[in-house]
Amino acid sequence: MKTKGKPWQFFVVAVLIVVFAFTAFLGISTQYGDTTKIWVKGAQDIRFGIDIRGGVDVTFMPADGYDATDEQMAAAESVIQQRLVNLNITDNEVYTDYNKDRIIVRFPWKEGETDFNPESAIQEIGATAVLTFREGKEVDSEGKPTGVTAENIILEGKDIKSATAAVDNNANSATYGQYYVSLELNDSGKESFAETTTRLSESKGTISIWMDDTMISYPTVNSAITDGNAMITLNGSDDKTRDEAISLANKINSGALPFALTAENYSTISPSLGANSLQAMVIAGVVAFVLVALFMIANYRLPGAVAVIALLGQTAMTLAFVSGYFSVLNSFTLTLPGIAGIILAIGMGVDANVIAAERIKEEIRSGKSIDGAIRAGFDRGLAPVIDGNVTVIIVAVMLMGAFGPTDGFFARMLKPIFFAFGPSTAGTIYSFGYTLLVGVLLNFVFGVICTRVMLKGISKLKCMRNPVLYGGVKNEKTV
């Protein structure tokens, strides 16, 4: 890079970096009353993984050694995703490993969650849940359907088009203010349901709803339903009844898995443990940055101070790529290893600046002018910086290919090499590879280009022409 330095270059680049860092860390938002409008996302808007926020990580597999087809695995994934939505868990990750017949599900705790039962959620997500509507509610000693109830299946899951929880807002209705579940049937179930409800309405009979061999509701038939639209009233208007209506509608909507699933393994992380880990990581990062800044300034003086400004820009830009600062890029889930990747990339940035600063110091002490030393220092230091960063880029790409989702860009690119790896290893390591790759690529922008432009610019100021500021041992008059 042969660009001649000018003083204004330093100030322009430095100010841009500081302003960008300010917005990248704090974001930009406006508030009108209780409504907050986020214009630019900051560090507080970063989406954290379950190892920070706390949550559940579970791996499902077909039960009893069932050999599922790719189509069945895809169908199972679709059902699980729908069940997560029904549980209001929209911030989730679902990966399917078709080679090993595994479905990996990760979801964080809800905000303010205090009594969430992970085992219950896992059971609900992975339940086979064959849905049936049966006549009566006869059960045996184990609670399984028997007699008329076992023999007379009125509807199956495929006959239900939708189920919706609602509240009766008709002031003239006898059930005004009460919660209910509205059912809409497909054509395949209308005739059978009409015949059964017409017959049972005369005796106020019962239709029970079952998930496998578990009865989840048994409403009374008050009238014949011939148009395929039914209403299951829950006779209550409190919050508990509302939750029951939502839960019943979700279970009816969730459908049936094509085969039984079992949880091969699962782990949970409490929100408090994740928050403590995040706090420790942030403190460690801030302390490390301060110590590195002091080290660079103490050992390399002016080049070290310029390097610290570039490192600030590199850190801020890395966070911007994670938080969704740029609207054209989706936000990325940040995990603890991802934070470690950011710190490691900063270390690589320090290394690039150390190499250049050492070369400049050597050139100054060998008698070269300040301009010649800066030019030679960056030229001589560029090759080892490129070599070091390229090797780390290769490692980061390999990590993202081997430990990322199978439909990801790097996974497809490296499929001939990592065909044996599946998404069962995705998540935290993928986050590490992503932040490391982004950080190292940004090192070329800030650690090489911006540092060089700023240092060449500031070196043109008369007050900055003392060789001591660049590592020299005395002030030369002929510079």
Side-chain angles (χ1 to χ4, degrees):
M1 187 174 181
K2 303 299 182 182
T3 304
K4 293 183 179 181
K6 296 180 181 179
W8 63 265
Q9 292 176 340
F10 166 77
F11 295 104
V12 170
V13 174
V15 169
L16 287 176
I17 287 177
V18 171
V19 171
F20 174 76
F22 180 83
T23 58
F25 284 115
L26 301 181
I28 300 176
S29 62
T30 55
Q31 186 163 350
Y32 299 94
D34 296 331
T35 304
T36 300
K37 172 66 174 180
I38 298 177
W39 300 98
V40 176
K41 292 183 178 181
Q44 72 276 6
D45 300 306
I46 291 176
R47 176 189 176 195
F48 293 109
I50 63 174
D51 57 347
I52 296 177
R53 184 176 170 184
V56 178
D57 186 326
V58 57
T59 300
F60 290 109
M61 61 179 292
D64 303 322
Y66 182 82
D67 185 15
T69 64
D70 289 352
E71 290 75 14
Q72 289 176 320
M73 292 297 296
E77 178 186 355
S78 178
V79 170
I80 289 176
Q81 289 176 330
Q82 180 59 48
R83 290 179 179 178
L84 288 167
V85 172
N86 291 341
L87 290 171
N88 200 30
I89 304 174
T90 55
D91 187 13
N92 61 75
E93 301 174 17
V94 181
Y95 303 106
T96 300
D97 185 346
Y98 295 97
N99 295 325
K100 303 175 184 177
D101 287 353
R102 298 292 187 273
I103 300 176
I104 301 88
V105 182
R106 297 185 179 93
F107 55 91
W109 306 108
K110 300 177 184 177
E111 291 290 345
E113 189 67 70
T114 57
D115 58 354
F116 188 76
N117 187 336
E119 293 186 3
S120 175
I122 291 171
Q123 291 175 358
E124 189 165 355
I125 292 170
T128 307
V130 175
L131 177 70
T132 55
F133 283 54
R134 299 172 181 266
E135 182 177 339
K137 55 175 183 177
E138 295 183 34
V139 297
D140 59 18
S141 59
E142 297 180 355
K144 296 181 179 181
T146 188
V148 173
T149 303
E151 296 171 359
N152 295 328
I153 296 177
I154 306 168
L155 299 174
E156 295 181 351
K158 61 183 177 61
D159 300 319
I160 308 297
K161 185 176 183 179
S162 66
T164 307
V167 62
D168 190 349
N169 293 317
N170 185 357
N172 297 321
S173 173
T175 59
Y176 174 69
Q178 296 183 6
Y179 290 97
Y180 66 93
V181 175
S182 175
L183 289 180
E184 183 178 357
L185 305 183
N186 290 317
D187 293 338
S188 59
K190 289 181 180 180
E191 183 177 348
S192 174
F193 198 68
E195 186 277 325
T196 303
T197 54
T198 299
R199 176 167 47 85
L200 292 180
S201 64
E202 298 176 357
S203 59
K204 302 297 181 183
T206 299
I207 292 179
S208 54
I209 305 173
W210 296 77
M211 285 293 203
D212 290 333
D213 290 332
T214 301
M215 184 165 54
I216 59 174
S217 184
Y218 47 93
T220 300
V221 180
N222 294 316
S223 60
I225 300 170
T226 58
D227 61 355
N229 294 294
M231 186 172 70
I232 303 174
T233 57
L234 300 182
N235 301 319
S237 56
D238 55 7
D239 291 343
K240 182 179 179 181
T241 307
R242 179 198 62 194
D243 293 341
E244 290 176 356
I246 294 173
S247 177
L248 179 58
N250 286 341
K251 289 176 180 178
I252 295 174
N253 281 327
S254 63
L257 289 164
F259 49 81
L261 283 177
T262 181
E264 183 181 34
N265 58 71
Y266 75 91
S267 61
T268 62
I269 299 176
S270 69
S272 59
L273 178 61
N276 291 337
S277 299
L278 175 61
Q279 184 179 22
M281 272 295 223
V282 171
I283 292 174
V286 172
V287 171
F289 188 91
V290 171
L291 292 177
V292 166
L294 294 175
F295 172 81
M296 292 295 293
I297 295 172
N299 282 273
Y300 303 108
R301 302 162 194 176
L302 185 59
V306 171
V308 171
I309 299 175
L311 285 175
L312 176 63
Q314 178 180 330
T315 304
M317 184 66 79
T318 304
L319 290 179
F321 273 92
V322 173
S323 66
Y325 180 96
F326 304 103
S327 59
V328 295
L329 298 175
N330 293 327
S331 59
F332 190 84
T333 302
L334 185 63
T335 65
L336 289 177
I339 297 176
I342 295 175
I343 296 174
L344 181 56
I346 293 174
M348 295 295 296
V350 172
D351 184 57
N353 285 285
V354 165
I355 292 173
E358 283 288 351
R359 296 290 188 271
I360 293 172
K361 182 190 292 186
E362 291 174 2
E363 299 295 338
I364 288 284
R365 293 184 176 181
S366 69
K368 279 193 176 183
S369 67
I370 291 177
D371 295 334
I374 293 175
R375 183 170 55 253
F378 279 107
D379 289 344
R380 291 178 56 194
L382 184 60
V385 169
I386 292 177
D387 291 343
N389 282 279
V390 167
T391 55
V392 175
I393 289 173
I394 293 173
V395 171
V397 169
M398 289 293 183
L399 289 174
M400 295 182 69
F403 299 102
T406 53
D407 59 350
F409 171 76
F410 293 110
R412 293 196 302 269
M413 183 178 67
L414 298 174
K415 187 176 181 180
I417 301 175
F418 292 111
F419 65 91
F421 289 82
S424 57
T425 53
T428 57
I429 302 301
Y430 181 71
S431 177
F432 173 77
Y434 176 82
T435 55
L436 182 61
L437 177 63
V438 170
V440 173
L441 289 175
L442 292 175
N443 184 25
F444 286 106
V445 177
F446 291 94
V448 177
I449 299 175
C450 288
T451 301
R452 185 168 187 164
V453 171
M454 285 191 291
L455 191 57
K456 279 193 170 187
I458 199 171
S459 68
K460 296 303 179 181
L461 294 174
K462 187 175 181 180
C463 61
M464 297 296 174
R465 300 292 290 178
N466 191 334
V468 174
L469 296 175
Y470 303 86
V473 294
K474 62 179 179 178
N475 189 1
E476 301 285 350
K477 291 185 178 181
T478 56
V479 294

